[in-house]
Amino acid sequence: MTTLYNPLINGFHPDPSVVRVGEEWFLATSTFEYLSGIPIHRSRDFENWELIGHVATRPGQLAVEDVPTAGGAWAPTIRHRDGVFHLVITDAMGRGMLHFTATDAAGPWSDGDLVRALDGSASVNGIDPDLAWGADGTAYITYSGLILEGENLGQHLGIQQVRVDLDEHRALEEPRSLWSGTGGQFPEAPHLYEVDGRWYLMIAEGGTERGHGISIARGDSPEGPFETAPQNPLVSARSTIRPIQNTGHGDLVVGPDGDWLCVLLGVRPRSMTRAFSALGRETFVTPVRWEANGWPAIDPVLLNPRPGTRVDIDFSAVRELDGEWIAVRTTPASVADLSSRADAIVLHGTGRTLDDPRPVFLGRRQEHLTNAVTIGIDVAAGVGGLAVRYDERFHVEVEAGDGVITARAVIADLVQEWTVPLTADVLELHIDSRPPAPSGGFPRTSDVFHLAASVAGERIELAEVDGRFLSSETTESFTGRVIGAYALRGDIAVTSWTAEGDDE
Ligand code: 6LW
């Protein structure tokens, strides 16, 4: 029996899509303004998942250099046909709707072709593309008709579909409207499946917050008409006390035991009213049962966290970046200088701060609700530090250089700093996320940041900051927490990285 861990993939990994190829499963998620973009995780048992590569590793595949915050890689669909992996996605506020291919899911992936509308002028105007092939080989892109460009920006046309020529990358018809759910806001994340001769159209609706859910309809053709299931929504945690909320945006697949599974996004909100999700949207999984009436039933998503993890990186021994490192609107390789020093990664400051859309920042997702990150840093030649980032308006950091250690919280337009004198160039910086002390018997926030530094082995506690300010609800962000080293001015050298956490 497969153990279904939940989260299936911890930390900022929303909008999962999964495909089975033989005895392997490949899963893709959204990355917005970060690169490398669109991670591909592989599993051979559905329990252990390994990051094997990314779709977007090169400049130009996504237009993330210039996307506004919240833009970039939104909601992939990954599929496999005749030995080729296909991935369709929206580069929101960037290039538009894109189609990537690869023969090896680890990469390299193609440059990404724009899926043009029938008149060829621009890409199909919508988000969350799905790719499916009819029995006669016709390729269909089914998508959410949220208009992201032009004078009708923000308008929602429901679930739409076009037949496409995947060689020419062009729609073969004007968009047709399909079934758009049961009336919840933002019908989106459509996926089409042929099961026992019937076509199922599964979608998310209700918005990606607490109202989120999954609904389904079926018909005899991939073009519909579709009849709604009697028991919609199939999944929603709304108005429940379940620890995993916002469940929706799912994809179906046959798992290792031959049973169907649904991978989907969710959050783990904490606090008295379960209001704040520190890590953002993560990937979860839940069993699917096909009922005698030919409709699927999807189980509620149950919490089953993996054991805690510890990551130790000594940059005098490790001379390359593993795939977990990400950067903002640029590649990690362009941020990290591995050649200037044999014992460290050097980050070259540009004067741009973390308030800038293009900070000199190299980070990894925060994967655990209770978490402690320590970096070894040498600031003899510059100013920089360790930060938790949601975006340029919401970040918390410990910084060293120019004779001072500064803890700082930037919460929208509010900034607070705590400083102590810096007495050494080589030190450790720490950011811990810990559960809050209960107040009146209830936790009053998601978690608390403890910002600290250690000089000559002596730990200096600088500040505690309420974690709710860096939650997906406060930041209204599609991403999640990313923790990393950054340089402001001059050169800073990062000698080690330790991250330890669990989800008890
Ligand atoms: C995704 C869409 C959504 O494309 O958020 O709110 C977008 N819903 O399904 C980004 O994850």
Side-chain angles (χ1 to χ4, degrees), residues 14-15 30 32 70 73-76 90 92 127-129 144 146 186-189 204 207-209 212 249 265 281 478-479:
D15 309 328
S30 301
F32 305 91
W74 283 21
T90 313
I127 65 167
D128 299 3
S144 171
L146 176 64
F186 297 123
E188 59 195 9
T208 195
E209 299 78 26
H212 214 198
H249 199 128
L265 72 77
R281 300 176 301 166
F478 285 151
T479 62

Side-chain angles (χ1 to χ4, degrees), residues 379-404:
V379 294
V383 178
L386 175 67
V388 189
R389 178 183 195 274
Y390 247 93
D391 61 30
E392 52 275 13
R393 300 194 70 218
F394 295 89
H395 48 92
V396 166
E397 61 256 19
V398 200
E399 188 172 290
D402 278 354
V404 62

